[in-house]
Amino acid sequence: MKNGIALITGATSGIGEACADKFFNAGYSLILTGRNQKRLDELKEKYNALTLCFDVRDREATQKALASIPAEMSAIDVLINNAGLALGLEPEFEGDYEDWDTMLDTNIKGLLTVTRTIVPGMISRNHGHIINIGSVAGDAAYANGAVYCASKAAVKTLTDGLRIDVAASEVRVTLLKPGLVETNFSRVRFHGDNERADNVYKGITPLTGADIADAALYAAQAPAHVQIAEMLILATHQANGSTIVRK
Ligand code: NDP
Ligand code: 8X3
């Protein structure tokens, strides 16, 4: 049974990969994107997916890749804007300019380019669902994370704005705000320092990508008149972006 077509950005790892698995098992056909061609080849094989290799920071490459989706796969039902990252953890007055550019260009402008390219088709079909992956980090700044937090606050505002702009249509817009999820996120944040990354998840049972994928699928499968606007999903023993009680 085919449930529809889901396009998931950043599907080569973590939350995006878990969404691919969950949506595939729920009967969706998949369009999966990322920059890691090898991982995309593995996912193509595993899920019989259409895969697109591009960097969301490259607007032209993003538009070109999305324009290459064949007609039979182009009526996208669910877009999961997941590709994103944090880089560095230091005071705002000491942050790395390159890290800042990468976060802002990926988390904000990359998400906007994909949205701007895919949503017009949803509007013209009067059908579709955009699920943006924000973060608890977008609710309030935490120490040494201001730029990442700001990028996710922007995702929250862009999601709210999109929901307003499509409100006359049947298109739905959801923001998922995960807390601590054990993925490659911290390895990326700490530029490959695995020991430092592992410490992020010590003394607490973190969320998994599958936990977030469950929420995404729940939102996507809600009846057509139900719009899950926002979900904050935290690990038990995490109260917000900066309160984590470790055993
Ligand atoms: P991962 O590092 O495991 O996955 C990130 C994914 O994003 C990868 O598939 C990566 O693909 C893709 N990606 C990163 N940069 C780009 C880019 N420039 N162009 C295209 N794809 C890109 O981390 P998570 O799964 O944890 O992160 C997914 C999302 O969830 C992010 O938006 C993150 O901010 C958010 N989030 C994560 C939380 C956590 O605790 N882990 C909590 C809250 C939100 P590739 O390397 O192939 O390009
Ligand atoms: C990722 C969660 O708290 O590490 O967005 O910023 S956190």
Side-chain angles (χ1 to χ4, degrees):
M1 200 253 321
K2 282 292 164 211
N3 226 333
I5 297 168
L7 190 163
I8 304 167
T9 69
T12 57
S13 170
I15 294 170
E17 185 176 0
C19 286
D21 194 63
K22 217 47 100 172
F23 278 69
F24 175 78
N25 285 311
Y28 283 83
S29 300
L30 301 178
I31 304 172
L32 305 177
T33 88
R35 292 167 301 176
N36 183 330
Q37 184 66 63
K38 187 167 172 285
R39 288 291 299 123
L40 286 173
D41 289 345
E42 289 163 5
L43 294 167
K44 184 189 181 97
E45 176 84 17
K46 187 169 178 188
Y47 298 119
N48 192 24
L50 171 68
T51 55
L52 300 171
C53 191
F54 62 89
D55 186 324
V56 295
R57 288 173 297 170
D58 183 337
R59 184 163 292 153
E60 209 175 307
T62 301
Q63 290 168 331
K64 195 167 161 207
L66 296 176
S68 77
I69 297 170
E72 66 272 17
M73 289 292 282
S74 64
I76 292 156
D77 298 283
V78 180
L79 163 64
I80 305 185
N81 267 320
N82 164 76
L85 78 174
L87 286 172
L89 191 68
E90 61 272 300
E92 193 171 320
F93 56 86
E94 290 175 357
D96 182 275
Y97 287 106
E98 213 171 297
D99 284 354
W100 290 357
D101 286 346
T102 304
M103 284 189 277
L104 299 174
D105 288 347
T106 308
N107 299 356
I108 303 175
K109 291 167 74 178
L111 176 143
L112 269 174
T113 302
V114 175
T115 301
R116 176 70 183 85
T117 310
I118 298 298
V119 175
M122 293 181 170
I123 294 295
S124 69
R125 292 186 297 279
N126 197 26
H127 173 81
H129 193 155
I130 302 98
I131 300 176
N132 286 341
I133 306 299
S135 172
V136 64
D139 281 355
Y142 56 70
N144 303 321
V147 174
Y148 176 68
C149 293
S151 78
K152 289 299 182 176
V155 171
K156 149 86 177 150
T157 302
L158 293 170
T159 311
D160 288 346
L162 183 65
R163 194 179 304 108
I164 294 165
D165 294 342
V166 304
S169 76
E170 296 297 323
V171 174
R172 300 182 295 180
V173 183
T174 296
L175 177 67
L176 298 184
K177 302 189 297 183
L180 210 59
V181 189
E182 188 162 14
T183 61
N184 277 322
F185 178 84
S186 293
R187 274 188 282 278
V188 171
R189 170 171 243 171
F190 299 127
H191 297 281
D193 181 341
N194 290 343
E195 199 182 325
R196 197 171 172 202
D198 289 346
N199 281 336
V200 173
Y201 310 106
K202 288 248 168 81
I204 184 165
T205 304
L207 298 164
T208 65
D211 297 323
I212 308 310
D214 278 337
L217 189 62
Y218 173 77
Q221 295 197 325
H225 69 287
V226 177
Q227 178 170 223
I228 305 293
E230 191 166 312
M231 274 196 242
L232 172 65
I233 307 146
L234 300 175
T236 304
H237 305 303
Q238 174 176 25
N240 55 37
S242 47
T243 308
I244 295 166
V245 179
R246 299 176 193 275
K247 294 268 180 326

